Amino acid sequence: MGDDIPGELGRCWLKCSEDTETPKRLIDAILVAMIFEIKQERFEGPLDLLLTLVERRQLHIGDIALAKVTDDFLNYSKDFIDFPIAESAQFAYVASTLLLIKSKALLPQLSLSREEEESMEDLQNRLKLLQRFRELSRHVRTRFWQCAMYLPLERKVEPIFAPPKDVSVTSLLAGIRAVLASIPKVEALSKVAVKKVVSLEKMIESLKERITSALRMSFREFTAAHKGERINVIVGFLAMLELVKNGLLNVTQDTPRGDIMMETGRVDVPRY
Amino acid sequence: MELDNQIEAILFWRGEPMTLPELCRALKLPSADVKKGLQSLKEKLQGRGLVLIQTEDEYALATAPETHELIERLRKEELAKDLGKAALETLSVVLYKEKVSRRDIEYIRGVNSTTILRSLLMRGLVERRQSEKDERVFLYRPTIDLLSLLGITSAEELPEFQDVRTELAAAETAATVAGASLADGAGDGEDSVPSGLVPEHE
Amino acid sequence: MELDNQIEAILFWRGEPMTLPELCRALKLPSADVKKGLQSLKEKLQGRGLVLIQTEDEYALATAPETHELIERLRKEELAKDLGKAALETLSVVLYKEKVSRRDIEYIRGVNSTTILRSLLMRGLVERRQSEKDERVFLYRPTIDLLSLLGITSAEELPEFQDVRTELAAAETAATVAGASLADGAGDGEDSVPSGLVPEHE
C-alpha cells in the first residue's frame, strides 16, 4: 500500500511498485467491502466518519492512524458529491488535512508551514475530543430515565385578567414578524455560497496537463499558478504524490527544505 | 423508601388534592397504611415551608401559612409585570393561529414554551381547551378579554392577518423539517417526533 | 420564618424552575443570602420525598429519585426513550461543559448542529441564553428538566465530571490557538452554515 513507500526525498526517486494492478484490485475490493459496510450508517459529518474509521481499526488517534484511514475516508467522501454544499466542503476540508498528514507520513522530510502543522494537530485534537464526548454520551444514555426526578405537573392557576401594558396590535404584529423571521429557512440553507474547494480529481487532471506541456517545473510554480491558496496547495501536493504513486511522475528535492522538482517519465507510456 | 416520602412525592408532583382511595391506588397499599404514612408526613413537615392539608377526605400539600403573605405578594407582582419579548411572541402565535397546540407553538418558536403559556393563562390572555378533533390535544386560544383589549372582534381583524397566515403555513413546513426527530434515522416527520420529553397533558 | 422554608414554599407554588435573580427579587434579598438559604434547603431535604435540583443559576424542586417508579407509573404519557447518537452527543457536550456556544459544539462534533439544537431546545432539554461576557454570543445550557430526567441534582454529579472538566480546561487552551487558524478556511460564515468547519457566530 502507499503507506509503505519509504520517504527518502532528499535526492531520491520515488517509484511505485512495479506491479500496480494486483494490489490495487485487492485494495479496491477491500475498500468496496468496507464502504458497503459503512454505508449502512448515517454519518454526522466528516469527524464522525473519521472517528468511526479509526475506531473500527482499533487504532489510537495519531498521525499513523489517520494516514492509514485516509484512503477509506476519501473513498467514502467521494460518494458524497451530492451532499449539501456546506457539508461536502467540510468533508473536503477534513480530506485535505488528512492528505497532508498522509503525505507527511510518506515523506517525513516534507516541510510544513506552521499553519499546516496546526491544522493537522487540530484535527487530531478534535477527534480526541469527539471520542471523549462519545464515551461520555454513554453515561448520559444509561442514566436517561433510569432514576428520573420529576418536576411537578403544571400548577393549577385561576386566571385573573391582568392586561400587560405592552400588549397592543402593533406589538403583536412585531411579535409574529419576529417569530416568522427566526424560523430556519430550509431553502436558504442549501443555497448558501460556500467557498469552493478544488476537488482532488480536478487537481490531478490539471497537474497532468501542466507537466506534459512543461516537462520540468517546480512545485512552487505550480501552486502559484493555482492562486496559492492553502487548500489548493495541499490538494496539489497530494495530487502530485498520487501521480508519483502511479509512476507518472518523478520528484526530486535537492535540499531538505528546497523546492520540489517534478518531472514526467513518459506520461503516456506505462512503466513496467 | 419510607411511605411518607412516597406520599410527599406524589402530592408534590400532582400539586392538587387527592382522595384517600386515589392515594391507596397509587401506592398499592391499604388505607390503614396510607393513613399512617399521612400522619407521619404531617409530623415531618413541621417547621418546613410546606404543610399537609386535609379536608374531609382529600389531602394536598400546600405552602405553609407563614409564607402566605410572601406568596400573595409574588402573585400580584407577577400579574402586574410586562410580558416581555418571548411572551409577546408566543401570544402573537396564539392570536394569528387562532387556536394552536403547545407542540405547534414550540415547533414554530423552536423553544420550549411551557412557562410562558402558563403565565399567559394566568393573566387571562389565552385559554386552553380540549380539541374537538382529538380529546388528548389541548388547544390554546385568545380570550375574549384579550380581543376586546386589542379593540377587535376576531383575530382576523389583526393587521396583515392573511399574509401572516400564508407565511406561517409555509414556515411550519420548514420548521417541521428543521425540528426533526431526536432519534436516529431522523427526518421521518411527524411520526418519529418523540412525544414525551415534555409533559403531554397541558 | 426561616429562609429555606420561604424558598421551599415559593418553588412549590411556582412548580417550575426559577433563576437566582428571580428568587432574589421574590425574597428581596441579596444573592449571597439566597444561596445560603438554598444550601440549607438542600440539606433539609435529605432523606425526604423531594430534592432540590440546580443548574448554574436555576433551581427547582422535584420528586426524589427513590420515588421514580411510583411517579413513572402515574404518568400517563408515553416517554420517548430513544435518543439518537447525535442528540446524546450534543447533550453530553452541553452537560459536561455546562455552557457552550453552538460554534464550540460544532467544533467538537464537526458538523452543523443547528437542527439538533433546535430539537433539543423545543423539547426543553437545553436552553439558549446570551452570554454574560459577550452579548453577541448565545450559550446553550442544560435545563433543570434534563438534569431531572438524568436523576441528578446538578451537572457535577455526572460520572467523571471533574476529570472531564480538567481535561477540557487543558484542551481548551490548545483549541483556542488552533481554532483561530480554522477561521481562514471557513469562508464568510453565514449564520447557520459552517462553511469551513465552524461558523463564525451564532
Side-chain angles (χ1 to χ4, degrees):
Chain A
M1 276 226 216
D3 305 16
D4 306 318
I5 295 177
E8 276 279 311
L9 229 182
R11 256 176 33 80
C12 98
W13 295 85
L14 274 180
K15 274 205 235 163
C16 214
S17 81
E18 299 298 307
D19 173 15
T20 54
E21 277 310 304
T22 317
K24 199 167 176 286
R25 267 191 220 133
L26 196 65
I27 292 164
D28 281 349
I30 295 168
L31 282 173
V32 165
M34 286 189 63
I35 288 165
F36 181 75
E37 192 190 335
I38 291 163
K39 272 186 180 157
Q40 309 301 310
E41 299 166 38
R42 244 180 79 91
F43 285 98
E44 289 271 325
L47 290 188
D48 185 18
L49 169 62
L50 189 54
L51 184 56
T52 308
L53 290 171
V54 170
E55 286 182 341
R56 196 154 289 173
R57 291 199 183 191
Q58 296 180 316
L59 300 168
H60 286 289
I61 295 170
D63 289 341
I64 299 166
L66 294 181
K68 279 189 176 160
V69 299
T70 299
D71 290 346
D72 303 351
F73 184 89
L74 289 179
N75 267 295
Y76 184 76
S77 304
K78 259 187 219 158
D79 297 325
F80 282 77
I81 298 303
D82 294 333
F83 266 173
I85 191 153
E87 208 168 326
S88 55
Q90 294 180 49
F91 269 93
Y93 186 87
V94 170
S96 66
T97 309
L98 276 180
L99 285 167
L100 195 62
I101 290 170
K102 180 168 177 155
S103 52
K104 180 70 178 171
L106 290 175
L107 308 164
Q109 294 93 332
L110 170 68
S111 80
L112 301 171
S113 70
R114 198 181 59 88
E115 199 182 19
E116 285 164 341
E117 266 166 15
E118 267 171 18
S119 67
M120 285 165 57
E121 201 182 319
D122 188 50
L123 181 63
Q124 291 187 27
N125 288 336
R126 297 177 67 184
L127 271 187
K128 285 180 193 154
L129 208 53
L130 181 62
Q131 189 175 45
R132 186 71 169 116
F133 276 107
R134 190 162 290 175
E135 247 169 55
L136 294 171
S137 74
R138 284 180 208 124
H139 294 314
V140 176
R141 184 195 295 274
T142 51
R143 293 195 75 99
F144 242 96
W145 305 111
Q146 269 317 98
C147 218
M149 306 182 293
Y150 294 98
L151 295 177
L153 292 181
E154 212 173 299
R155 297 293 185 227
K156 270 255 168 69
V157 290
E158 272 157 43
I160 297 170
F161 185 58
K165 283 188 234 73
D166 52 351
V167 168
S168 69
V169 167
T170 326
S171 67
L172 286 166
L173 181 61
I176 197 75
R177 284 285 165 215
V179 170
L180 281 167
S182 69
I183 292 175
K185 312 275 182 303
V186 174
E187 259 318 89
L189 269 177
S190 52
K191 281 187 187 164
V192 163
V194 173
K195 200 172 209 178
K196 269 196 183 165
V197 178
V198 181
S199 81
L200 190 60
E201 285 95 316
K202 208 172 141 198
M203 204 53 150
I204 291 177
E205 271 319 300
S206 148
L207 194 57
K208 273 187 193 163
E209 275 171 33
R210 299 299 300 264
I211 291 168
T212 323
S213 59
L215 269 179
R216 200 176 159 87
M217 69 181 289
S218 87
F219 182 64
R220 218 160 265 167
E221 278 169 45
F222 168 78
T223 54
H226 285 84
K227 291 189 196 140
E229 279 190 63
R230 183 161 60 103
I231 186 114
N232 294 1
V233 173
I234 296 168
V235 174
F237 180 77
L238 288 147
M240 180 187 79
L241 282 183
E242 284 294 320
L243 292 176
V244 169
K245 252 173 81 182
N246 295 333
L248 291 172
L249 195 66
N250 290 322
V251 180
T252 51
Q253 187 180 32
D254 291 328
T255 56
R257 279 167 186 271
D259 208 354
I260 301 166
M261 300 308 292
M262 300 187 277
E263 273 182 302
T264 42
R266 278 151 293 172
V267 170
D268 297 311
V269 183
R271 296 157 60 88
Y272 288 108
Chain B
M1 185 88 197
E2 283 166 60
L3 181 56
D4 48 41
N5 286 349
Q6 304 268 2
I7 297 174
E8 184 179 24
I10 300 183
L11 290 174
F12 163 79
W13 179 70
R14 285 280 297 260
E16 46 186 87
M18 286 176 81
T19 62
L20 191 59
E22 279 175 330
L23 282 168
C24 293
R25 270 199 302 280
L27 293 157
K28 296 185 175 162
L29 284 173
S31 62
D33 291 357
V34 175
K35 274 188 178 162
K36 259 184 236 157
L38 283 161
Q39 185 53 39
S40 139
L41 175 61
K42 192 168 189 155
E43 285 156 22
K44 283 204 183 169
L45 288 175
Q46 296 284 344
R48 294 257 314 264
L50 306 180
V51 289
L52 179 70
I53 52 172
Q54 166 182 10
T55 61
E56 215 166 297
D57 65 344
E58 283 189 324
Y59 299 86
L61 279 183
T63 53
E66 297 90 325
T67 63
H68 281 183
E69 241 175 89
L70 170 67
I71 302 289
E72 202 41 45
R73 174 169 63 77
L74 291 179
R75 221 169 102 85
K76 283 188 185 137
E77 280 173 8
E78 208 172 322
L79 290 174
K81 264 194 320 207
D82 273 357
L83 278 193
K85 189 168 167 282
L88 265 174
E89 283 181 14
T90 311
L91 186 59
S92 73
V93 174
V94 177
L95 268 164
Y96 279 89
K97 296 271 307 176
E98 291 183 285
K99 48 185 175 186
V100 59
S101 68
R102 180 162 62 81
R103 174 79 62 79
D104 283 349
I105 295 173
E106 286 169 353
Y107 260 118
I108 294 168
R109 296 190 58 232
V111 286
N112 185 277
S113 303
T114 321
T115 309
I116 287 176
L117 282 168
R118 175 184 164 278
S119 122
L120 295 176
L121 276 172
M122 196 174 80
R123 307 185 67 165
L125 300 171
V126 302
E127 58 186 0
R128 206 185 84 192
R129 266 191 268 156
Q130 270 178 339
S131 157
E132 284 133 31
K133 282 187 209 142
D134 182 348
E135 285 193 355
R136 290 164 308 172
V137 174
F138 285 91
L139 297 177
Y140 290 83
R141 316 156 185 247
T143 57
I144 301 279
D145 284 340
L146 174 60
L147 294 182
S148 66
L149 173 73
L150 296 172
I152 53 180
T153 59
S154 91
E156 286 161 41
E157 291 170 28
L158 287 163
E160 303 180 37
F161 184 81
Q162 284 310 331
D163 293 350
V164 170
R165 284 296 280 254
T166 315
E167 284 170 59
L168 270 175
E172 261 165 74
T173 328
T176 311
V177 177
S181 161
L182 290 178
D184 275 329
D188 312 326
E190 227 22 52
D191 287 347
S192 60
V193 172
S195 50
L197 289 180
V198 263
E200 259 309 291
H201 42 161
E202 311 177 35
Chain C
M1 185 85 199
E2 281 167 63
L3 181 55
D4 48 38
N5 288 346
Q6 301 198 357
I7 297 174
E8 185 179 25
I10 296 177
L11 288 173
F12 170 81
W13 171 70
R14 282 282 297 260
E16 55 190 38
M18 286 178 80
T19 63
L20 188 59
E22 279 173 337
L23 283 167
C24 292
R25 270 199 302 279
L27 294 157
K28 295 185 175 163
L29 283 172
S31 62
D33 292 357
V34 175
K35 276 189 179 162
K36 259 185 235 156
L38 284 160
Q39 184 53 38
S40 130
L41 175 59
K42 191 166 189 152
E43 283 156 21
K44 280 204 187 168
L45 289 174
Q46 295 283 345
R48 308 272 345 172
L50 309 181
V51 289
L52 181 70
I53 307 184
Q54 67 182 93
T55 61
E56 205 188 33
D57 68 345
E58 272 195 322
Y59 299 85
L61 285 177
T63 59
E66 295 81 10
T67 65
H68 86 274
E69 274 175 64
L70 172 67
I71 308 290
E72 178 97 53
R73 225 172 38 228
L74 296 175
R75 286 167 63 102
K76 289 185 193 105
E77 321 85 73
E78 279 287 303
L79 300 173
K81 303 199 177 185
D82 55 336
L83 286 176
K85 189 169 91 170
L88 283 166
E89 244 170 54
T90 311
L91 283 178
S92 308
V93 176
V94 176
L95 276 163
Y96 280 91
K97 292 190 74 120
E98 286 193 288
K99 46 187 176 182
V100 57
S101 67
R102 181 161 63 82
R103 189 193 164 114
D104 283 351
I105 294 171
E106 289 175 348
Y107 177 79
I108 294 169
R109 299 191 59 231
V111 70
N112 184 307
S113 302
T114 317
T115 305
I116 194 76
L117 281 169
R118 192 175 153 92
S119 293
L120 295 172
L121 276 173
M122 279 189 324
R123 306 308 194 282
L125 296 177
V126 303
E127 63 182 356
R128 176 172 169 266
R129 262 191 276 157
Q130 270 176 340
S131 156
E132 284 128 34
K133 283 186 205 140
D134 182 349
E135 286 196 352
R136 293 163 303 172
V137 174
F138 284 90
L139 298 177
Y140 292 84
R141 309 160 185 245
T143 59
I144 297 255
D145 276 80
L146 175 58
L147 298 186
S148 76
L149 292 174
L150 293 171
I152 52 179
T153 63
S154 85
E156 287 157 39
E157 289 173 23
L158 285 164
E160 301 184 56
F161 185 84
Q162 283 312 330
D163 295 349
V164 176
R165 290 304 281 251
T166 316
E167 290 164 29
L168 283 176
E172 228 144 80
T173 331
T176 318
V177 179
S181 72
L182 266 179
D184 68 350
D188 333 304
E190 151 92 46
D191 183 27
S192 50
V193 182
S195 35
L197 274 174
V198 208
E200 274 303 297
H201 46 73
E202 184 70 10

